[in-house]
Amino acid sequence: MKTLHSHLEDHFEELELVIGWEIGFEPLRATPAFVRRREDLARLVWNPLCAPNLSVYLPQILKSAEKTEKKVAVCLKGCDTRSLTALIQEGFVDRERLHVIGLPCPGTVDPQALAQARKNRAPVTQVSFQDNLLILHSYEGTEEIPLDSVLARRCRRCRQPNPLLADVVLGDPVPARCDAPSFAHVEAVDSLPLEERRAYWERELDRCLRCYACRNACPLCVCRDRCLAESRTPKWTTQRDSVRDKFLFHMIHALHLAGRCTECGECERVCPVGIPVALFKEKMAQIALDLWDYQAGVDPAATPPLQTFDPSETGI
Amino acid sequence: MEKAVFLPDTELHEALAALSADAQVWVPAGDASKPDLVRFQRYRPGLSVRLDARSLVSAKEVLFPRSEALLRFVKEKDLSVPAGHRLHVDDTRTVPPAVVFGCRPCDARGFLTFDRVFLQGPYRDPYYAERREKTTFVSLVCRDADGACFCSAVGSGPADPQGSDAQLIALPDGYVLRAITQRGAALVEKIGRGPTAEQIQAARDMLDQAGREMVGEGSLTAMDAAFRARFQDAAFWHGHIDKCLSCGLCTFVCPTCYCFTITDEARGLSGERIRSWDACMFPHFTLEASGHNPRPSKVERYRNRVGHKFSYFVSKYGQVACCGCGRCIRHCPVSVDIRAVVRDLPVQEEVHA
């Protein structure tokens, strides 16, 4: 952590704002932090609890911030840099105005899995990290939990733990958990017979509250206040609490991310009722790979397939 | 304890089945494939009832469904009338009696906010009123507050009887069920068995202990003036709210957020007028027909959420519109902490980044 602090201390004069993470209302919560004063840099942390993908804030922040010589610094994990790349490709973020701090990522914690893995029930008072271990302190004692056993689903299929785009990379490279794109999770659902698959999704989507956390946490959901899910004219979905309407919204969300989703898994992380909504987008990513041999946000020099037109294109 | 019974763990399902004979019974229950995903569900045999777990979403939907048909309509073509059709409207409804069994005191107390608006305000809402009259709330005295809970800071507490018709007090091998209201007494008569003196004593002890426990720091009930003084302080609101994603999660999991929208959902010549949950965090909530939006960004929207709960509602009804359940904090994708925002309202020095 010293490196992040000392790096920011050294460069603070060049920066207008630093977007990173700090400890939230309890030790196991890391929450986004917007630091504008040097003395607040000490609040910043970087560890496997830093789940939020901070690239989601960039289009809005850069739009509202006055253009100055100073840059906006943002801390991004490996997968988060893919989102940034896609945002740059689509023209939503001006690369020149950013100071990107890339952080090789050992994986992030799934809070639900961590709660299940704990033997103690007392609130955690302190947490530290050592050699792929989470060390949790509470008044019941200390317990050690291997990070690998409590990883978020997105991290178990991670192949880009190291930043692909950064002004500075802090920390040693981390070995990827997967060498090639892994679609085992979506394939498991996809392989169900039609009726079972339908029943699976009806059961999952029935819980959806339509709170749109999945949409708002998505860095590539760039329509923001103009989303058709809430459009009244024309009106695409009804206000009914029906699986039919919820399914329609999630299908629209997924289709709008075809060839664009960078598989950061934020949509699924933020769902308050545990719907595996990232599977829809993983299906899109799988199709994009099959159809165009394209992975969103991996190559800054590439042109996203749906932003170009090639009459000689085969396969469609 | 005037009217109390003992309900052994082994007879819980039997009791819920008995109550189900003449009411819809809602219990916190895990999903079949995800036992820790606890929501209020209609009781049915085999359901994985989880009185030990806090539910993710509040029991709000029992009295205030996510969407409900206010009326159904059919247009009948008739060229002899100027409109070209005759409109047939059907607003009949059947509301069965219901029991919410094993919610936490905060869930039951949340409806006191609803009552102010839907029953005691200038308009009495017949849809809410009928459900309210027919629903019995049985809350479980809460022994497992977590880091997001703050019921004591809004004038409630883990043993708060307000809003509950009966209370469950957990003992090692079952529950003492104690009536608070007449409606609760009617329910208590239907289930359980006579408690022993030891069980009554153990329940009393636990009630006392829970009643003394403070969950959450300080008090957030007298922030009306501080909020008004902070209203224009853009730096304050940005400091707290820059990280907000502006989704509607906090309002939808909240037991006291009661905002709704009304839409006509028609297909062909027939349809329904439905009322559904809406959220002040959404841009359309305040979008005016002219295109102007008085709350154009998340800063104004979140400020409204704080103001509604801790200022406007207080000056209108004399109570905060928050029951301290902590769901908006616990489930927020970026851990926005409304307690911290409200606590900082009167703080004079610059506490924000």
Side-chain angles (χ1 to χ4, degrees):
Chain A
M1 196 51 210
K2 242 184 183 149
T3 31
L4 176 59
H5 286 145
S6 59
H7 175 80
L8 287 169
E9 282 286 352
D10 293 348
H11 291 82
F12 197 74
E13 288 312 310
E14 304 147 37
L15 305 173
E16 174 191 323
L17 167 71
V18 180
I19 310 177
W21 305 273
E22 64 184 319
I23 300 294
F25 66 91
E26 57 188 7
L28 290 178
R29 299 282 177 136
T31 173
F34 290 68
V35 172
R36 294 187 170 85
R37 301 185 306 189
R38 188 184 281 272
E39 58 266 39
D40 290 329
L41 285 176
R43 297 194 336 230
L44 295 177
V45 298
W46 160 236
N47 61 46
L49 300 171
C50 297
N53 177 353
L54 304 177
S55 69
V56 71
Y57 298 111
L58 295 175
Q60 212 59 42
I61 282 282
L62 292 179
K63 214 163 117 186
S64 58
E66 272 179 56
K67 271 193 187 173
T68 63
E69 290 301 298
K70 291 191 172 187
K71 296 191 175 191
V72 171
V74 59
C75 297
L76 298 178
K77 306 184 287 289
C79 56
D80 303 342
T81 62
R82 283 183 64 185
S83 313
L84 173 63
T85 300
L87 285 169
I88 294 169
Q89 287 170 330
E90 295 189 13
F92 286 99
V93 167
D94 178 359
R95 174 75 181 88
E96 296 307 306
R97 293 179 65 198
L98 290 179
H99 178 73
V100 180
I101 299 165
L103 299 161
C105 174
T108 61
V109 171
D110 173 359
Q112 213 79 31
L114 180 59
Q116 279 169 20
R118 282 192 71 202
K119 288 192 185 69
N120 296 341
R121 289 207 63 181
V124 171
T125 50
Q126 200 196 327
V127 56
S128 51
F129 305 88
Q130 206 176 39
D131 305 328
N132 214 29
L133 279 181
L134 271 80
I135 304 160
L136 308 178
H137 305 270
S138 73
Y139 74 77
E140 286 177 283
T142 302
E143 53 187 326
E144 294 186 349
I145 292 172
L147 176 60
D148 285 347
S149 67
V150 293
L151 281 179
R153 191 177 72 78
R154 63 181 181 184
C155 303
R156 284 185 265 131
R157 56 188 292 277
C158 173
R159 57 186 192 280
Q160 267 99 17
N162 300 303
L164 301 172
L165 174 87
D167 292 296
V168 57
V169 174
L170 303 176
D172 298 325
V174 187
R177 282 172 209 280
C178 299
D179 299 330
S182 157
F183 298 103
H185 297 148
V186 68
E187 276 164 2
V189 179
D190 246 2
S191 65
L192 295 173
L194 183 64
E195 284 311 311
E196 272 179 55
R197 205 183 333 149
R198 183 189 164 121
Y200 172 83
W201 283 117
E202 281 182 348
R203 204 168 55 236
E204 292 292 326
L205 290 172
D206 181 51
R207 293 197 301 271
C208 175
L209 302 171
R210 294 176 80 175
C211 72
Y212 301 129
C214 51
R215 175 191 72 186
N216 288 35
C218 173
L220 272 301
C221 260
V222 289
C223 299
R224 295 291 143 196
D225 290 1
R226 303 278 184 276
C227 179
L228 61 70
E230 291 156 291
S231 157
R232 294 285 181 264
T233 45
K235 189 165 160 181
W236 299 96
T237 65
T238 81
Q239 283 293 110
R240 286 195 181 93
D241 179 37
S242 71
V243 171
R244 182 193 163 96
D245 287 282
K246 296 165 183 180
F247 189 74
L248 180 60
F249 162 69
H250 287 287
M251 284 305 104
I252 293 167
H253 188 182
L255 281 167
H256 281 188
L257 288 161
R260 302 175 64 240
C261 171
T262 56
E263 299 166 77
C264 72
E266 282 288 88
C267 50
E268 189 164 311
R269 178 184 73 81
V270 303
C271 178
V273 288
I275 305 171
V277 285
L279 290 177
F280 295 135
K281 289 86 175 186
E282 281 161 39
K283 184 69 192 172
M284 289 295 123
Q286 187 183 30
I287 293 170
L289 189 67
D290 284 349
L291 199 58
W292 301 304
D293 192 24
Y294 183 78
Q295 297 178 58
V298 169
D299 177 8
T303 306
L306 290 177
Q307 288 197 14
T308 185
F309 177 69
D310 178 3
S312 67
E313 188 175 347
T314 55
I316 49 172
Chain B
M1 274 173 208
E2 293 163 27
K3 194 158 227 171
V5 293
F6 181 70
L7 185 59
D9 281 334
T10 48
E11 291 171 20
L12 177 63
H13 276 266
E14 208 178 295
L16 292 170
L19 294 176
S20 300
D22 46 16
Q24 288 189 353
V25 177
W26 294 75
V27 280
D31 267 36
S33 56
K34 296 171 182 173
D36 287 318
L37 216 155
V38 176
R39 299 173 296 144
F40 284 92
Q41 296 189 47
R42 290 273 307 280
Y43 178 74
R44 56 185 187 274
L47 189 68
S48 144
V49 177
R50 292 288 308 273
L51 298 188
D52 61 310
R54 274 185 306 268
S55 71
L56 297 166
V57 185
S58 76
K60 176 162 72 178
E61 66 179 305
V62 177
L63 297 193
F64 191 65
R66 282 186 248 167
S67 79
E68 68 178 317
L70 303 179
L71 55 86
R72 285 155 294 279
F73 55 82
V74 180
K75 288 176 184 171
E76 184 196 353
K77 273 191 180 163
D78 183 350
L79 296 177
S80 69
V81 294
H85 64 256
R86 288 179 190 279
L87 188 63
H88 302 282
V89 172
D90 169 18
D91 67 350
T92 54
R93 59 185 184 275
T94 45
V95 176
V99 174
V100 177
F101 193 93
C103 67
R104 298 298 167 101
C106 49
D107 287 323
R109 187 188 168 95
F111 288 110
L112 301 185
T113 296
F114 273 76
D115 291 348
R116 287 295 203 168
V117 180
F118 289 82
L119 301 181
Q120 298 153 18
Y123 305 101
R124 185 178 163 86
D125 185 281
Y127 302 90
Y128 177 81
E130 194 175 352
R131 285 203 175 83
R132 185 61 160 140
E133 279 156 19
K134 291 182 174 174
T135 305
T136 308
F137 286 89
V138 182
S139 66
L140 171 71
V141 171
C142 189
R143 305 304 292 137
D144 59 350
D146 75 358
C149 292
F150 62 108
C151 52
S152 303
V154 292
S156 178
D160 190 352
Q162 288 188 71
S164 298
D165 297 299
Q167 262 180 332
L168 288 160
I169 300 140
L171 300 183
D173 53 348
Y175 302 88
V176 165
L177 174 63
R178 155 185 114 95
I180 296 169
T181 64
Q182 285 197 332
R183 207 185 286 161
L187 179 137
V188 169
E189 274 174 7
K190 292 180 192 165
I191 53 175
R193 47 171 83 173
T196 64
E198 290 78 30
Q199 286 165 339
I200 288 290
Q201 192 52 46
R204 274 213 182 100
D205 291 347
M206 184 172 276
L207 256 184
D208 281 350
Q209 203 184 337
R212 280 196 302 272
E213 196 180 329
M214 295 301 282
V215 175
E217 291 164 34
S219 171
L220 305 177
T221 56
M223 294 295 187
D224 186 13
F227 173 80
R228 287 166 200 271
R230 272 293 179 205
F231 192 82
Q232 306 266 27
D233 186 348
F236 176 87
W237 295 107
H238 274 284
H240 279 290
I241 290 317
D242 270 345
K243 66 181 173 185
C244 171
L245 296 172
S246 200
C247 69
L249 195 158
C250 49
T251 65
F252 283 6
V253 297
C254 175
T256 65
C257 274
Y258 54 77
C259 288
F260 59 83
T261 185
I262 293 177
T263 50
D264 282 355
E265 309 291 0
R267 230 179 164 185
L269 292 174
S270 64
E272 292 174 326
R273 173 160 298 176
I274 65 166
R275 167 159 75 184
S276 57
W277 291 0
D278 203 352
C280 57
M281 303 307 287
F282 291 152
H284 280 76
F285 189 76
T286 45
L287 183 64
E288 294 171 6
S290 67
H292 171 66
N293 195 335
R295 294 186 206 138
S297 79
K298 64 186 179 189
V299 174
E300 294 86 7
R301 291 174 210 150
Y302 192 84
R303 181 181 63 188
N304 175 74
R305 185 162 194 271
V306 173
H308 188 166
K309 291 186 178 300
F310 293 93
S311 173
Y312 318 141
F313 204 88
V314 176
S315 50
K316 199 169 164 64
Y317 297 111
Q319 65 189 52
V320 290
C322 171
C323 59
C325 73
R327 286 191 179 87
C328 60
I329 304 165
R330 194 177 298 122
H331 301 306
C332 175
V334 292
S335 306
V336 172
D337 185 349
I338 195 166
R339 293 169 301 188
V341 181
V342 178
R343 215 176 274 142
D344 284 350
L345 286 171
V347 176
Q348 285 311 307
E349 67 267 5
E350 282 215 357
V351 290
H352 41 272

